[in-house]
Amino acid sequence: FTDEVWTNSTCWGHNEDDTTVWHVDLDETSDTQYTNGELMDMFNPMLVETPYVYDTFEWPHCEAEGYPLQLVEELTPPSPLTDDAATSASSAAQVMASAKRMDTR
């Protein structure tokens, strides 16, 4: 992101009012889900209520406990000649499947 201006994309999931997968108050029984704009407002690093913003996705303490250091898959941007929505959906599904495999609860 180079600024905080929302575009009006025809691709679902890229707009301020598009809903996300996260339910309000993380209550999975709720029918209400956060929008991109709501999450951006909640995680604004300038708010004192935001407890912490990660500057990297590195967790060496997890590696020390035997988890792989690369917990977030590095994704390459789609080529302009591909359908970025399909590529993103496929990548997101792979990341979710990987996260489920790592969840040992």
Side-chain angles (χ1 to χ4, degrees):
F1 294 104
T2 57
D3 60 43
E4 295 181 24
V5 177
W6 289 94
T7 60
N8 188 16
S9 174
T10 58
C11 185
W12 179 86
H14 292 224
N15 299 300
E16 181 176 11
D17 294 321
D18 290 347
T19 56
T20 65
V21 297
W22 293 282
H23 297 265
V24 171
D25 295 326
L26 301 177
D27 177 7
E28 300 257 342
T29 63
S30 170
D31 290 333
T32 309
Q33 294 168 287
Y34 289 111
T35 65
N36 286 325
E38 290 170 332
L39 289 177
M40 290 292 286
D41 290 342
M42 286 173 34
F43 296 127
N44 181 342
M46 301 306 288
L47 296 175
V48 272
E49 296 87 5
T50 305
Y52 190 79
V53 176
Y54 290 95
D55 60 346
T56 66
F57 288 108
E58 297 175 2
W59 300 282
H61 60 280
C62 292
E63 183 181 38
E65 292 185 20
Y67 293 96
L69 187 57
Q70 186 62 40
L71 296 177
V72 176
E73 179 183 357
E74 289 187 29
L75 303 175
T76 55
S79 144
L81 301 177
T82 64
D83 178 359
D84 67 339
T87 302
S88 295
S90 173
S91 295
Q94 290 172 358
V95 169
M96 292 301 288
S98 176
K100 282 186 178 184
R101 284 192 300 275
M102 289 179 22
D103 186 5
T104 58
R105 285 184 272 155

